[in-house]
Amino acid sequence: MKNKLSLLTITKNAGETFEKTLDSVGDLADQIVVIDDYSSDNTVEIACNSSADVYFNHEPDLGKQKQYGLEKTTGDWVLLLDADEQLSSGLKKEIATLLKSQSDYDGYVIPYQNHFLGKPLHYGGENYKMLRLFRRNAGIIAEALVHEHVSIRTGKIGELKHKINHYSYRSLWQMFTKFSHYAYREALQKAGRNEHSSLKKLTMYPAHMFYARFIKDKGYKDGLYRIPLDLGFAYMEFLTYVLLLFVKKKSAKHFLTYT
């Protein structure tokens, strides 16, 4: 007997990529749950065309937003995808086979294939795995303004072979806009933990970020074309600590409560 699968995605003006995300899943999912933060583009139309269960909810904490969506799912298993991520054909077949079996695991980490300007990346921090497939009654999503973490309450975690294709850096403008937004969220998180900025953090941390990604972790092996990406990460690190000079713990709590 086939286990049922729920696809869970949160969206905010994701029309540029969301249709391809849903197309990559195809008929694999028995239920599609979309938590939309009041998009002003065609994101909701795309979701409705795929017969998704759409819920509108504004929540600045991405972990809370996904946990809210998790509570709307009904499948035996939940697949968590962002709106700029797509299943590879191999991963789709691998998950389909898993759903027909009686797995000994309660969750699976899945490797990622990141892309920059349409080209695949293999080095410099872009080769990683995340828990993205799990039994509905075992999964929990931690609160976080950015880089939310999925874990399971009990049970074993396995690993799938094929990859999720991630199209996070599609143009230089989109990339730097995203990094600016992430820097603001990261500054709020740090302020909430009562962390402070400093001259060292403003100068050394960004330089180390570029060195760690491009040199230490061998990002250069992907080619010189990725230099703007690693400079972007250095920029995000710098902007985070600049913003932290102005963001106080009180204002961070205000953002979390009222934004």
Side-chain angles (χ1 to χ4, degrees):
M1 181 178 176
K2 176 182 177 293
N3 292 286
K4 292 188 176 181
L5 176 71
S6 293
L7 171 67
L8 171 59
T9 307
I10 65 171
T11 55
K12 175 71 173 181
N13 294 331
E16 179 185 355
T17 57
F18 191 36
E19 188 169 7
K20 290 183 179 179
T21 296
L22 295 176
D23 287 346
S24 75
V25 177
D27 58 359
L28 182 65
D30 301 280
Q31 178 196 30
I32 300 173
V33 173
V34 175
I35 309 300
D36 185 75
D37 191 359
Y38 298 95
S39 292
S40 57
D41 65 358
N42 63 337
T43 299
V44 174
E45 179 183 352
I46 292 171
C48 291
N49 288 340
S50 296
S51 301
D53 299 330
V54 180
Y55 300 88
F56 296 96
N57 191 57
H58 175 64
E59 171 55 67
D61 187 301
L62 300 182
K64 286 184 179 180
Q65 186 81 324
K66 289 183 177 180
Q67 182 64 36
Y68 173 81
L70 180 58
E71 294 167 3
K72 306 295 184 183
T73 61
T74 59
D76 304 294
W77 289 84
V78 174
L79 173 64
L80 185 61
L81 281 181
D82 287 342
D84 58 358
E85 298 172 354
Q86 301 169 23
L87 298 186
S88 63
S89 57
L91 179 58
K92 182 179 178 181
K93 293 176 183 177
E94 193 174 8
I95 294 176
T97 300
L98 185 153
L99 293 173
K100 296 176 183 177
S101 67
Q102 296 299 318
S103 175
D104 294 328
Y105 298 98
D106 286 333
Y108 288 89
V109 295
I110 301 175
Y112 271 67
Q113 177 65 74
N114 279 359
H115 294 75
F116 175 54
L117 305 181
K119 297 180 180 180
L121 300 169
H122 304 284
Y123 300 93
E126 297 298 332
N127 186 15
Y128 56 85
K129 305 166 186 175
M130 290 196 290
L131 180 62
R132 283 295 179 260
L133 179 66
F134 51 90
R135 295 187 193 275
R136 178 174 54 85
N137 58 6
I140 187 168
I141 305 172
E143 297 179 6
L145 285 175
V146 64
H147 304 312
E148 63 283 358
H149 177 70
V150 183
S151 60
I152 60 172
R153 295 182 177 87
T154 59
K156 298 186 297 182
I157 297 176
E159 182 175 329
L160 298 183
K161 176 182 178 182
H162 295 90
K163 296 182 177 183
I164 290 174
N165 287 312
H166 191 196
Y167 298 93
S168 186
Y169 321 118
R170 299 180 296 279
S171 71
L172 293 180
W173 174 252
Q174 177 267 331
M175 179 191 74
F176 277 97
T177 300
K178 181 173 185 172
F179 283 162
S180 299
H181 183 64
Y182 275 21
Y184 178 55
R185 285 177 169 269
E186 189 63 40
L188 287 169
Q189 286 196 148
K190 290 180 182 297
R193 297 193 295 265
N194 207 28
E195 183 176 337
H196 301 283
S197 189
S198 68
L199 182 60
K200 177 182 178 180
K201 293 175 181 178
L202 285 166
T203 56
M204 299 299 292
Y205 283 21
H208 181 266
M209 174 65 75
F210 180 83
Y211 167 79
R213 291 180 59 85
F214 193 72
I215 304 299
K216 182 181 178 182
D217 293 337
K218 302 179 181 180
Y220 61 86
K221 287 191 172 183
D222 283 323
L224 296 180
Y225 83 96
R226 69 167 283 160
I227 287 178
L229 174 64
D230 294 327
L231 286 175
F233 273 93
Y235 156 79
M236 180 170 61
E237 193 82 353
F238 172 73
L239 184 59
T240 296
Y241 289 106
V242 169
L243 293 173
L244 190 56
L245 291 169
F246 304 98
V247 175
K248 306 299 182 183
K249 187 173 182 179
K250 182 178 179 180
S251 61
K253 289 183 178 179
H254 179 85
F255 176 88
L256 292 174
T257 303
Y258 298 105
T259 301

